[in-house]
């Protein structure tokens, strides 16, 4: 079963991929080939040149040493050309220097591990590059419109791969991968306000586009391949234009990916919850939605049903929706009776001392307590020894750091429309 690693884009959030990659390699994952787009093209190519733990450690070090000026150098000449309407805001010299300094091969076909780079042509079509000059391929795939100039490759003007499809899941499947591991960067979901700089706002919009494209690709690929998506960091308030937080991003990504692997992320294909975000797209303007189902409905014989947008309540920084006014009233009277255990995190993972996002469609009600798990495989293992698992998870959840992390995940500013609060 051929396995592919797919590296999405995301500006400075590409550091997240380096941390996730380290844990995948530590878990014994070895892809048959890699595919990358935008900043993911740089990570994919570097890993293809040094596909081992030492290479990944070196990639982490590169990210820790990068600055904004290294990637986006502002020169009088580039600014003048941009103001004249004949150029881009930044020259590509900085990115070219990074690529030429660190890539251990000159041509894509010479990489020890097969690699493909996805860019976009002027008609909006995806172009997959598996041979030719590696530097040109990476520069083309990362040529963000306005920020960088397009790059000519084999007679075609190419630009950033995000425009056609920045998470080239479908490309990996078309190349023969039966199993695809996507290293997503996510996006800044908890910024208090939009980024000030125009290029920072553009990059943020690009990361939102990437997330939507990933959801689209996951739906389109269906059962053609087993897709596993590393989890996004949440909450995240780092702009993709900010290169000062790489060490923090790598550390957080390593911890989250290790927890995801321990909870079975590499065994069970990812569902929509791997991409879904708890934060609204309004930059934290309202409390995040806990999950779409009516929490009271879990305790009925029929099982969970979707809540209605017109029937909401906010509890401890999260919004909950209800299928009926009766269920809303029950929740308002006794919210603790209906909330999932462990802040809605995976019960199996909590028993192991890990905090992993769960899928609210995978649940059990035991002794009038609601439990979520990350997927059906993990849920089955948890049910086989639920008694001892619950006992251990209760002990772990009582430790303050777990509950503090849960509160941080729920942190958000309430919106203009105020549902019931208590």
């Amino acid at each position: 079963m051929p396995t592919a690693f797919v590296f999405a884009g995301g500006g400075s959030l590409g550091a997240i991929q380096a941390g996730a990659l380290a844990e995948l390699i530590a878990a014994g994952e070895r892809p048959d080939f890699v595919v990358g787009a935008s900043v993911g093209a740089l990570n994919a190519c570097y890993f293809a040149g040094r596909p081992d733990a030492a290479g990944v450690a070196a990639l982490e070090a590169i990210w820790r040493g990068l600055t904004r000026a290294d990637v986006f150098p502002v020169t009088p000449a580039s600014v003048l050309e941009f103001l004249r309407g004949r150029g881009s805001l930044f020259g590509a010299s900085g990115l070219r220097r990074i690529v030429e300094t660190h890539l251990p091969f000159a041509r894509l076909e010479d990489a020890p591990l097969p690699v493909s780079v996805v860019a976009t042509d002027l008609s909006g079509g995806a172009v997959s590059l598996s041979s030719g000059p590696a530097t040109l391929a990476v520069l083309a795939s990362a040529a963000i419109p306005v920020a960088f100039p397009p790059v000519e490759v084999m007679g075609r003007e190419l630009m950033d791969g995000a425009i056609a499809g920045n998470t080239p899941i479908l490309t990996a499947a078309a190349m023969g991968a039966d199993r695809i591991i996507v290293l997503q960067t996510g996006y800044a979901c908890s910024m208090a306000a939009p980024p000030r700089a125009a290029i920072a706002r553009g990059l943020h919009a690009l990361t939102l586009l990437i997330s939507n494209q990933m959801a689209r690709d996951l739906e389109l690929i269906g059962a053609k391949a087993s897709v596993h998506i590393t989890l996004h960091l949440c909450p995240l308030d780092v702009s993709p234009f900010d290169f000062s937080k790489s060490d923090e991003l790598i550390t957080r990504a390593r911890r989250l990916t290790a927890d995801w692997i321990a909870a079975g992320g590499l065994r069970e294909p990812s569902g929509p919850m791997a991409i879904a975000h708890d934060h609204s797209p309004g930059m934290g303007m309202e409390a995040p939605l806990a999950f779409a189902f009516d929490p009271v409905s879990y305790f009925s014989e029929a099982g969970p049903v979707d809540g209605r947008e017109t029937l909401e309540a906010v509890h401890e920084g999260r919004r909950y929706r209800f299928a009926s006014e009766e269920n809303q009233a029950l929740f308002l009277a006794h919210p603790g009776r209906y909330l999932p255990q462990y802040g809605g995190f995976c019960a199996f993972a909590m028993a192991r001392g890990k905090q992993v996002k769960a899928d609210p469609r995978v649940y059990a009600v035991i002794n009038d307590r609601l439990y979520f798990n990350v997927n059906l495989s993990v849920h089955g293992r948890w049910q086989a020894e639920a008694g001892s698992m619950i006992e251990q998870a209760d002990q772990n959840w009582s430790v303050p750091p777990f509950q503090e992390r849960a509160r941080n995940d729920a942190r958000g500013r309430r919106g203009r429309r105020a549902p019931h609060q208590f």
Side-chain angles (χ1 to χ4, degrees):
M1 178 182 291
T3 295
F5 281 3
V6 167
F7 294 79
S12 65
L13 303 185
I16 293 171
Q17 293 176 339
L21 185 59
E23 294 302 322
L24 289 170
I25 296 303
E29 287 293 335
R30 297 296 184 271
D32 296 288
F33 64 92
V34 294
V35 183
S38 197
V39 71
L42 177 60
N43 284 337
C45 284
Y46 187 86
F47 177 66
R50 299 186 63 185
D52 52 29
V56 176
L59 180 61
E60 289 180 321
I62 292 170
W63 273 104
R64 289 187 175 99
L66 286 180
T67 66
R68 180 186 299 170
D70 292 332
V71 182
F72 297 101
V74 179
T75 65
S78 65
V79 172
L80 183 60
E81 287 296 297
F82 178 76
L83 293 176
R84 289 175 174 173
R86 296 187 304 210
S88 56
L89 188 55
F90 306 102
S93 59
L95 187 56
R96 177 183 289 273
R97 188 178 303 110
I98 293 169
V99 175
E100 292 180 342
T101 298
H102 297 293
L103 279 195
F105 53 88
R107 298 182 63 83
L108 293 175
E109 63 267 32
D110 294 333
L113 181 67
V115 57
S116 290
V117 171
V118 178
T120 307
D121 63 21
L122 295 182
S123 67
V127 178
S128 180
L129 304 171
S130 301
S131 62
T135 297
L136 282 182
V138 173
L139 292 180
S141 184
I144 304 166
V146 180
F148 294 123
V151 178
E152 183 176 336
V153 179
M154 295 183 292
R156 305 169 73 179
E157 294 285 331
L158 302 180
M159 51 189 171
D160 196 291
I163 302 167
N166 195 262
T167 57
I169 299 173
L170 299 180
T171 301
M175 295 175 62
D178 295 323
R179 182 169 176 265
I180 300 171
I181 299 176
V182 182
L183 291 85
Q184 66 169 320
T185 59
Y187 58 88
C189 58
S190 59
M191 288 189 291
R196 291 185 178 181
I199 184 62
R201 291 195 296 272
L203 283 172
H204 178 69
L206 197 62
T207 58
L208 297 176
L209 173 65
I210 292 166
S211 181
N212 289 332
Q213 289 171 331
M214 190 181 301
R216 175 206 65 190
D217 287 357
L218 191 60
E219 182 177 350
L220 288 174
I221 201 168
K224 297 176 184 177
S226 176
V227 181
H228 307 260
I229 304 175
T230 61
L231 299 180
H232 51 69
L233 303 185
C234 178
L236 182 63
D237 61 357
V238 179
S239 163
F241 195 51
D242 181 2
F243 287 80
S244 68
K245 305 292 180 60
S246 292
D247 184 68
E248 173 191 335
L249 295 176
I250 290 170
T251 300
R252 288 183 63 190
R254 291 194 69 152
R255 183 179 67 218
L256 183 63
T257 304
D259 289 352
W260 173 73
I261 293 171
L266 291 172
R267 292 191 297 271
E268 287 291 320
S270 296
M273 289 302 295
I275 304 171
H277 243 284
D278 286 344
H279 295 263
S280 70
M283 299 279 192
M285 291 301 293
E286 61 180 341
L289 183 66
F291 43 83
F293 296 120
D294 176 344
V296 178
S297 67
Y298 282 95
F299 295 83
S300 68
E301 291 185 5
V305 297
D306 288 339
R308 292 157 53 186
E309 292 185 18
T310 55
L311 291 174
E312 291 190 347
V314 172
H315 178 68
E316 295 183 348
R318 289 182 182 270
R319 284 184 297 133
Y320 296 88
R321 291 177 177 171
F322 306 92
S324 67
E325 293 182 358
E326 179 183 2
N327 282 4
Q328 184 187 44
L330 288 170
F331 183 86
L332 289 169
H334 302 285
R337 179 181 297 175
Y338 301 104
L339 292 175
Q341 301 301 303
Y342 321 126
F345 290 100
C346 175
F348 178 91
M350 185 57 62
R352 299 294 181 88
K354 305 290 185 180
Q355 189 164 300
V356 176
K357 282 191 174 183
D359 187 335
R361 298 169 302 176
V362 182
Y363 73 98
V365 176
I366 298 177
N367 295 330
D368 290 326
R369 297 173 72 190
L370 175 61
Y371 301 91
F372 290 161
N373 275 301
V374 69
N375 56 49
L376 290 173
S377 175
V378 166
H379 189 63
R381 296 165 63 193
W382 177 81
Q383 285 187 309
E385 44 186 321
S388 60
M389 284 275 188
I390 290 171
E391 182 178 355
Q392 186 60 55
D394 287 347
Q395 293 179 11
N396 290 337
W397 181 245
S398 67
V399 178
F402 277 115
Q403 298 189 29
E404 178 61 27
R405 285 171 62 184
R407 283 192 291 270
N408 288 340
D409 279 353
R411 193 171 293 159
R413 295 168 57 188
R414 286 162 172 77
R416 298 168 187 167
R417 177 172 61 87
H420 295 283
Q421 299 182 29
F422 42 88

